[in-house]
Amino acid sequence: MRNIDIIYINGAFVTPHGHETAELINPATEAVIGHVRLGDREDTLRAIAAAKQAWPAYARTSKAERIALLHRLHDAVLARADDINAATTEEYGGPVSRAAWVGAYAAKSFLLAAQTLQDYSLTRQIGSAQVVMEPVGVAGLITPWNSNAGFICNKLATALAAGCTVVIKPSEMSAIQTQVVTEALHSAGLPPGLFNIVNGRGDVVGAELSRHPDIAKISFTGSTAVGKTIQRAGADTLKRVTLELGGKSPTVILDDADFATALPLAVTAGFQNSGQACIAGTRILVPEHRLDEAIALARAAVERTQVGEPKDPQTQIGPMVSRKQWERVQSYIRVGVAEGAQLITGGEGLPAGIHAGFYVRPTLFAHVRNDMRIAREEIFGPVLCIITYRNEEDAIAIANDTDYGLQAIVLSGSDEHARAVGAQLRAGRVLINGLHHEPLAPFGGFKQSGIGREFGAFGLEAYLEPKSVIA
Ligand code: NAD
């Protein structure tokens, strides 16, 4: 049983002023595995004050000093990678096949930020002006539960690279991961106040960060609804915001694609991170004259997907993170049936042979219209929709007919053809014929999938303000 009753302020682990506690539950077993004591407004104010005090000196550090510090953080987090992986499985239900890389991935953020800073010109000449990119100030970083360690490290790495000090509000459901990451970061021995970490509720700690005048910028990853709340709360102080929000990403399978590989790939794209991924490709678009073929191939792929114990290396889909999330997915399965979509496989209830844990049956709907709720709203579980299109123009229109715009995948027999269709899609990332990743390319959403970008130079600039010095 873990009892996490400390937060991190001004370089030290301290007992929170707040007294509220929250249970930590292993979603694979439903057992209570610990408790976390939550910080309150007072704790948040202390953390903001510490970051504010540390900022002026840190903002004056050189590129070389910041790069050295980022390397120290990388080494410190990498040394605890196995513990981060284990916490992800225990607390989040992340299958080991995925959890095996989350610690190293989190650590790598610091190297990527160091490389980005190294390659970035903080001053440049524009006509008679010398333009200096200055750190924006103290940043508030708010993370979700679906990749807590990764988001803490990436946001922190970028903010520190830019010369910002920070207060981090991690997901309150990820306190074990947060604890391991905080211990690792502390062991790097940075000057006090550069980063402060306050466990707590979103509507308490997150809300205070979002409105406090000493917070210049919020970088938030989470739901679109909370993203809007944060932007409203920050309006009075005109906070800079980076909002990485939800998605309802299309996988567009063109008529010339090899369906035998395209459909399984589309299913994999939809089931990433047990379906709890902002980038999950949850709308599979197929030509209407090949619907039966597409359904048969997708159904076989869904039914091959192994659901179960996250510690089993064969497992592809673990439990949902919480009972609330399990119930949300169940309710969307009921909505799909009620809306008249055809349930091809899966459905309500626990998978066969499983009697405890927040497991859902991987579910596939066909005959889905793009105006149904299951096609429009983010479900955040392994529930996929097959939607038909008449021709390519129709496919592009359906793909773009969404409030979201985080990612799109185009599958075709020719990269050129896929690129031509991809050029017409309104999404922050378009993947051509595969599940590709480029860690230094900007990541973020069009439309209600967010504001701003993370990673690489675009991510760094989100923590910088240009100052024109004209002589
Ligand atoms: P959430 O919005 O419920 O919570 C995210 C964080 O915001 C948590 O730390 C929470 O405590 C905090 N929060 C809640 N209310 C707040 C408030 N009023 N003010 C400030 N902070 C508040 O999201 P979640 O359920 O933790 O994560 C799932 C969501 O995150 C999905 O919608 C998913 O698409 C999105 N997501 C987006 C990306 C991306 O990069 N675009 C990546 C991962 C997850």
Side-chain angles (χ1 to χ4, degrees):
M1 190 71 71
R2 314 279 190 113
N3 192 22
I4 297 173
D5 57 359
I6 42 179
I7 53 178
Y8 190 78
I9 297 180
N10 209 24
F13 288 95
V14 296
T15 301
H17 174 267
H19 283 281
E20 190 180 344
T21 58
E23 279 184 344
L24 300 170
I25 293 170
N26 179 332
T29 62
E30 302 181 41
V32 176
I33 52 172
H35 293 88
V36 53
R37 182 164 162 180
L38 302 174
D40 63 6
R41 180 166 180 266
E42 179 66 32
D43 295 306
T44 316
L45 295 177
R46 287 181 193 163
I48 294 170
K52 184 183 178 183
Q53 196 185 4
W55 184 62
Y58 185 63
R60 287 193 297 272
T61 52
S62 67
K63 240 187 188 187
E65 285 170 297
R66 288 181 211 162
I67 288 169
L69 178 150
L70 290 166
H71 280 273
R72 270 159 59 195
L73 289 167
H74 164 262
D75 296 348
V77 173
L78 191 61
R80 297 294 301 275
D82 288 346
D83 296 334
I84 295 171
N85 299 349
T88 306
T89 298
E90 185 188 4
E91 174 179 58
Y92 169 62
V96 288
S97 54
R98 175 180 197 274
W101 51 260
V102 293
Y105 173 82
K108 182 102 188 285
S109 315
F110 295 101
L111 293 186
L112 292 169
Q115 184 190 335
T116 302
L117 179 60
Q118 179 70 56
D119 297 342
Y120 189 85
S121 291
L122 287 164
T123 55
R124 69 194 87 158
Q125 198 70 30
I126 299 183
S128 62
Q130 186 195 39
V131 180
V132 185
M133 300 300 284
E134 295 199 348
V136 66
V138 178
L141 314 179
I142 304 176
T143 69
W145 43 259
N146 73 333
S147 179
N148 183 61
F151 285 117
I152 290 177
C153 290
N154 173 57
K155 288 179 192 296
L156 173 64
T158 316
L160 290 177
C164 296
T165 58
V166 308
V167 178
I168 302 172
K169 205 301 279 178
S171 172
E172 59 277 33
M173 291 161 65
S174 314
I176 300 175
Q177 295 164 68
T178 297
Q179 182 63 21
V180 177
V181 171
T182 311
E183 288 167 10
L185 298 172
H186 175 70
S187 75
L190 266 48
L194 297 199
F195 67 93
N196 305 272
I197 303 182
V198 183
N199 284 316
R201 283 176 29 184
D203 60 354
V204 177
V205 179
E208 187 58 41
L209 291 175
S210 308
R211 66 175 166 252
H212 199 285
D214 290 337
I215 296 288
K217 181 200 167 67
I218 294 281
S219 177
F220 168 78
T221 299
S223 61
T224 295
V226 173
K228 290 177 184 178
T229 305
I230 288 173
Q231 187 164 31
R232 279 187 211 107
D236 277 343
T237 50
L238 287 181
K239 267 185 221 340
R240 281 63 180 137
V241 291
T242 299
L243 303 175
E244 295 287 3
L245 311 176
K248 194 75 195 177
S249 298
T251 300
V252 183
I253 303 180
L254 299 177
D255 207 355
D256 64 358
D258 172 14
F259 274 37
T261 52
L263 269 302
L265 192 104
V267 168
T268 302
F271 287 169
Q272 291 175 78
N273 203 3
S274 303
Q276 300 173 123
C278 53
I279 53 172
T282 47
R283 291 185 298 144
I284 303 174
L285 275 53
V286 301
E288 70 185 1
H289 72 103
R290 297 183 70 179
L291 176 61
D292 292 345
E293 186 188 350
I295 289 177
L297 288 163
R299 175 190 191 135
V302 170
E303 291 179 348
R304 271 198 308 272
T305 306
Q306 189 165 323
V307 185
E309 170 53 49
K311 289 188 179 143
D312 179 343
Q314 301 305 317
T315 293
Q316 291 156 286
I317 296 185
M320 301 295 94
V321 70
S322 63
R323 174 163 298 284
K324 189 171 156 218
Q325 191 62 22
W326 186 86
E327 281 167 0
R328 178 186 161 93
V329 176
Q330 300 299 312
S331 83
Y332 272 108
I333 294 173
R334 283 193 292 277
V335 164
V337 172
E339 285 179 309
Q342 186 187 352
L343 183 63
I344 301 294
T345 185
E348 278 187 78
L350 291 170
I354 294 182
H355 306 291
F358 306 134
Y359 294 96
V360 303
R361 299 168 67 190
T363 294
L364 178 68
F365 283 105
H367 296 282
V368 177
R369 287 192 326 270
N370 201 46
D371 63 354
M372 290 179 177
R373 282 183 60 203
I374 55 168
R376 302 207 77 78
E377 298 175 17
E378 186 180 50
I379 299 173
F380 230 54
V383 179
L384 306 182
C385 299
I386 295 184
I387 302 172
T388 56
Y389 62 83
R390 291 187 309 278
N391 52 38
E392 262 174 42
E393 196 184 5
D394 193 32
I396 292 161
I398 295 169
N400 287 335
D401 177 16
T402 168
D403 290 338
Y404 295 110
L406 192 59
Q407 180 163 287
I409 303 171
V410 189
L411 303 177
S412 159
S414 124
D415 280 0
E416 202 186 348
H417 185 192
R419 278 180 192 276
V421 170
Q424 298 174 73
L425 299 180
R426 308 257 307 143
R429 235 171 222 212
V430 177
L431 308 185
I432 303 295
N433 281 333
L435 303 182
H436 310 297
H437 182 56
E438 168 46 64
L440 291 176
F443 179 80
F446 281 31
K447 300 190 270 181
Q448 294 192 34
S449 285
I451 294 180
R453 295 292 181 267
E454 289 192 291
F455 301 112
F458 287 89
L460 182 66
E461 284 184 342
Y463 292 88
L464 296 169
E465 290 274 26
K467 179 198 273 179
S468 298
V469 182
I470 307 170

